[in-house]
Amino acid sequence: MMASQDQRSADKPLEMLLSGGGLGAEIRNLDLRRLDERRFSQVRQAWLDNLVLLFRDQDLADAELIAFSRRFGELDYAPIQENGQRFVEGLPELYIVSNVVENGEPIGSLGSGEAVWHTDMSYTEVPPQASALYALEVPPTGGNTSFVNMYSVFEALPDRLKQHIAGLRVKHDGTYNSGGYVRQGVTPSDDPRQAPGALHPLVYTHPETGRAALYLGRRRNAYIPGLELAESEALLDELWGYVENDDFTWTNIWRPGDLVLWDNRCTMHRRDPFDAAARRVMHRTQIKGSGRPA
Ligand SMILES: [Fe+2]
């Protein structure tokens, strides 16, 4: 089986179906457990070109999800979950995104509410360059994940705004996670000037593609140092106004067995709410960033 896939990959280009949205492509007929080096380098290039890749009908054990993710680079350890635990003994790279409660304990993080637009872990100095999210159980409706192309958002800004934000930095809040829960060990504050977080340039040059992306991270508690709070809020609201543009987005309607890999440097994502009584179980890994965003 391995030999035949190697044989095919030596001859054929990737089977790729563009999403038709502002980013994203589905790569078809690949088993992510069995990719030779040539195939893998095609996948990596497709990922840089399309920002988000969808692979359907995968059958990955946790160790296989970790092994595939690790081909992109060293993995980050998962953040501590909302109840203070890392959930998977012996697999510290694995983060469980789930609303399921078993024996009174949540098995994962982020609940069933809306998860607002964000970049993963951009409140850290060196955010992960990529995230991989693998669907094990999905609710019958809702819980879908949308992505936005932040190269396109930057390109859509009028020149005066591009000039205005050149050289400015923005604080990426470390108080709340994308589900709105306060992170472990943080005293919540809703003053963006006081909230903990990392400062990153508003315009980020992608280290591999060389393209400029608007780097917003998340809206809540964001702050542009050097500006009065009201001025910072107004400028951020103006910039965020360019994010909600259907031309720049694409939504994955999840099926079990979907693996979605996104470039965390030039995209944001959000999740629709879903019925709290339905089960949604996703396993996530993250690939370490190569350095501070610049
Ligand atoms: Fe996320």
Side-chain angles (χ1 to χ4, degrees):
M1 182 150 176
M2 199 161 169
S4 66
Q5 178 146 351
D6 285 355
Q7 186 57 46
R8 284 201 305 276
S9 71
D11 307 327
K12 286 188 181 172
L14 277 184
E15 284 180 49
M16 186 158 68
L17 187 71
L18 300 184
S19 73
L23 71 172
E26 181 184 345
I27 308 293
R28 294 190 154 175
N29 295 321
L30 280 191
D31 180 342
L32 297 182
R33 298 171 301 185
R34 299 184 179 82
L35 293 185
D36 62 27
E37 275 309 309
R38 181 172 175 277
R39 225 4 154 204
F40 176 73
S41 66
Q42 291 174 320
V43 166
R44 201 171 188 295
Q45 189 60 50
W47 170 65
L48 289 171
D49 293 343
N50 294 284
L51 291 63
V52 184
L53 295 182
L54 166 64
F55 306 89
R56 297 213 118 133
D57 304 318
Q58 300 298 312
D59 183 13
L60 300 173
D62 288 335
E64 291 164 336
L65 171 61
I66 289 170
F68 170 68
S69 307
R70 198 172 269 146
R71 296 183 76 168
F72 289 81
E74 202 185 331
L75 301 187
D76 268 319
Y77 277 11
I80 305 288
Q81 306 262 2
E82 284 147 15
N83 68 0
Q85 296 176 4
R86 291 187 193 280
F87 278 83
V88 184
E89 276 299 314
L91 297 173
E93 303 91 344
L94 203 71
Y95 186 65
I96 299 177
V97 177
S98 184
N99 64 316
V100 173
V101 175
E102 283 175 2
N103 305 318
E105 283 284 318
I107 66 164
S109 288
L110 303 180
S112 60
E114 180 190 7
V116 296
W117 285 119
H118 67 282
T119 297
D120 284 336
M121 290 172 69
S122 61
Y123 57 92
T124 61
E125 297 297 325
V126 181
Q129 61 173 281
S131 300
L133 191 57
Y134 179 56
L136 294 158
E137 295 181 62
V138 303
T141 58
N144 297 312
T145 305
S146 300
F147 297 88
V148 58
N149 181 334
M150 297 304 286
Y151 295 135
S152 299
V153 173
F154 175 73
E155 286 156 15
L157 302 179
D159 285 343
R160 63 147 184 98
L161 204 45
K162 284 183 185 155
Q163 285 157 15
H164 185 47
I165 63 173
L168 291 181
R169 294 186 300 165
V170 62
K171 184 195 282 182
H172 292 231
D173 178 52
T175 311
Y176 300 97
N177 69 23
S178 58
Y181 298 92
V182 175
R183 292 184 190 282
Q184 279 292 312
V186 175
T187 308
S189 163
D190 284 315
D191 182 340
R193 294 164 298 191
Q194 306 302 330
L199 292 175
H200 297 302
L202 260 175
V203 183
Y204 176 13
T205 305
H206 192 291
E208 293 189 75
T209 66
R211 296 179 65 193
L214 188 65
Y215 196 46
L216 293 177
R218 59 197 65 220
R219 180 64 186 90
R220 191 170 186 178
N221 275 356
Y223 176 61
I224 301 174
L227 300 188
E228 293 297 330
L229 182 57
E231 235 184 325
S232 168
E233 291 289 309
L235 179 51
L236 288 167
D237 285 345
E238 187 178 9
L239 293 170
W240 275 90
Y242 289 86
V243 171
E244 293 289 348
N245 181 331
D246 289 347
D247 292 344
F248 304 153
T249 62
W250 165 70
T251 299
N252 188 42
I253 298 168
W254 291 97
R255 304 197 315 217
D258 282 1
L259 183 131
V260 173
L261 174 79
W262 64 88
D263 192 327
N264 196 48
R265 299 165 289 192
C266 51
T267 64
M268 295 196 296
H269 54 282
R270 58 175 293 280
R271 182 194 71 203
D272 299 326
F274 58 97
D275 177 1
R279 290 174 62 97
R280 187 176 187 268
V281 182
M282 325 281 280
H283 286 184
R284 187 185 78 180
T285 56
Q286 294 185 306
I287 296 110
K288 270 187 200 300
S290 56
R292 296 178 66 122

